Amino acid sequence: MTKKHILSILVDNEPGVLSRIAGLFSGRGYNIESLCVAETAEPGESRITMVTAGDTLILEQIKKQLNKLINVIKVADMTDQDFVERELVLIKINAKAEHRAEILRIVDIFRAQVVDVSPEHYTISITGDADKITAIFSLLKPFGIREITRTGSIAMFREMKNKN
Amino acid sequence: MNRAGHAGDGYARATGKPGVCIVTSGPGATNMVTPLATAQMDSIPLVCLSGQVATKVIGNDAFQEADVTGITRPCTKWNYLVKDVKDLAKTIKEAFHIARSGRPGPVLIDLPKDVSIGKTVFKEPDDVVLRSYNPTYVPNRKQLQKVVDLIKKAEKPVIFIGGGVILSRAHKELTELARKTNIPVTGTLMGLGGYPAPDPLWLGMLGMHGTYRANMSVSECDLMIAVGVRFDDRVTGKTDEFATNAKIVQIDIDPTSIQKNIQVDLPVVGDCKISLEILNQMIDQEEDMDDFASRHPDWLKRIDEWKRTTPLAYDQKDVIKPQFVIEKLYELTKGDAIITTEVGQNQMWTAQYYHFSEPGRFISSGGLGTMGFGLPAAVGAQAAMPGKTVVDIAGDGSIQMNIQEMATAIQYHLPVKIVILNNGFLGMVRQWQQLFYDKCYSSTKFQHTPDFVKLAEAYGAVGLRATKPEEVEKVLKEGLACDRAVIMDFRVEPEECVYPMVPAGAPISKMLLV
C-alpha cells in the first residue's frame, strides 16, 4: 500500500550531492513530493528533509539506495514515529474590503500572520504541519488564492518524554 | 575511445584488479558512458581518468567541454572533478578504494587541463576513511546459523551463484560448500566459472537460455541459497512464479540487491567469500555433519533424469553449427582459455557449450549487454595475461561494432583470437523475430558483410575461414597456434536458434526446447 513517508537525510555538503539524490529518484522512478535542504549546525553537513511515497518494498529500496550513496551519512524514516513537522507557506489571496474581516478571523484562528497588504490583496504567512496547511487552504480558497509558495516539510524526532 | 574503457574492464575481469583507462575531454569522455555503464551493471572495478577543459573556463561551453561528472553520475559508482592539483593524490587513492571495495564499480576522475599539467609535491595520502561508506564484509553469524538449519531441513536444495562469487573470488569456498552438503549448483551468466562446470553437481546456467535441468531444479527446489546474485529479469522470468516452493536465502554485500526483485526469506549482508567461509566452518561443527554429503539422493536422481532426457543438444549435419565450433574450441583449449564474448547468440552458445571452471575465464557484458565489448575486452585481458590464450567469440554483427580494435592488437603484439560465428544476421534479434514476430526479419539480415579474412589481413592480422564442418577443427587449431592476432570466420547455419528459450515474461519452467 502506498504511503507518505518523511525522510530525514544527513549528507556531506558537497557539490553534486543534490543532483545524485534527485538523479537516484528520477532514474529509479521514485516520487519526490517535497524537498527541503539546508546546512546543519555541523560545518560540512546538510540535512535534506524529503517527503516521498511508496509501498513498503519501494521505501525499503529508497532507503537502501540512499544509504548506498557515498556522501549520504544517515537516513532516518520518521514515519510511524513521534516527530514534529513544520512547513512555512506564503499565500497571496484576493482580499476585497467586504472579505477582509473574515480573512483576518481565519488568520487569527490559525495563528497565521498577514505580512503584506495592498488594496486588493493580503499575503499571509503560516507555519504548521500538513493538516493545518490543508485546513487553511480550504478555508481561504473561496476568496481566490492568487499564488502560493511552500518550503516543503521539515521535521525532527521528539525527545522521549518518559524515559522509563 | 569507448574501447579503452572495455579494455580496462577486460583487464579487471581477467585479473580481479581494478582496470584503468584514460580518455580526453568532451567526446572522449562522452564515449566512456557505454563502458562505464557496462562496468556499473556488472560491478567491475574500473578507474577512468578523463580530461576536462581548464578550471577557469568550465561552464563556458569551451572547445571539447562536456559536463562529464554530470553525464556519468548515474553510470558510475562514484565520480570526482578535481579542481586543485593538491587534491589529486588523495582523490586517486579514494577512487581506487571505492572502485574495488564493497560491491565494486567504476569510478571516474575528471581532470581539468590546468590540474593535469599542474605541479605539486607528492605526499603519500593517509589511508582512506569515509565515514559514510563502510561496506559490511563480515555477515551476522546468527543469520548464517539459520542458513545451516535450513540446509539441514531441506530436501530439494539448490545453490544459485552470480557475479558476486566471481568478484570476491569465492569459488573455492563455494565448491567446498556444495560438495560437503551435496547441493547442486546453478548460476547466472555472470556466475559462470564460480563452480567447476565439469562437476556432476553443476546444473548449467539458469534463466532465459538456461539448461532444462537448471530451470526445472530452481522451479521445484525447496531451498535456494543465492550467493552474489541480484535476481535479474533474464534469470527469474516471471517473478511471481520463480522458485515458489523455496525458502530463499540471499547472501550479498550490497543491501540494495536484497528484496529488490524477489522476496527473500533470509537475507545475509556480507562478502560472498567471507560468508561462505564462515558458513563452511559452521557446517563442520554440526554433529551430524558426516551424513550431509549423502543427503537428498532422490532429488539428485530427479535432476539427473532431467539432464538425461533433456540435455543441451544440436544436430550437426552439412552446415557448420555454431554450437559445434564452441564445443571444438572447448576441447582444443582444454577449457583453459580466457573467453570473451560479444552479445547475442554468440554469447549464449558460449555460456552453454564452453565449460568454465575458474573466475576470470569468462568475460562478457551481462547486465548492459554491450555489443562490441568482446574484442576490446580481449585486448585488455591479453595485455593482463600475456601467456594465456585469449579468444573473443563474436557474431558477424557484433564484431563490427569495435573492429578497429584490431589495430591496437597488432600495434601492441597482442595475439587475440577472434572466432566469428558468421550467420549473416543479427542472430538474437532475428531469433526473436522468428519466434515472436512471425518471421518478420526487420533490419536483421546483413545485405553486405565485409570479407573478414581480407579484413584481418588488411590490419596485418591472420585471416582464416571454415565453410564446412570438417574444416572447423583445422581452422581452430591453426588459429590457436598463431602468435599474431587472428580472425577465424566460421560460416555457420544462418537460422540456428539458441535453445532452450524462455519467452520474455514467462516462468522459467516454460521453455521452448526446439
Side-chain angles (χ1 to χ4, degrees), chain B residues 207-208 230-239 261 367 504-506 508:
Chain B
M208 185 171 273
R230 59 184 174 87
F231 294 103
D232 179 81
D233 56 272
R234 283 296 184 266
V235 148
T236 59
K238 191 178 182 188
T239 48
N261 299 332
I508 55 169

Side-chain angles (χ1 to χ4, degrees), chain A residues 132-150:
Chain A
K132 186 173 168 187
I133 306 289
T134 315
I136 198 169
F137 276 173
S138 60
L139 288 172
L140 293 178
K141 211 172 167 190
F143 304 105
I145 294 177
R146 291 189 187 181
E147 203 180 331
I148 288 173
T149 306
R150 309 176 63 156

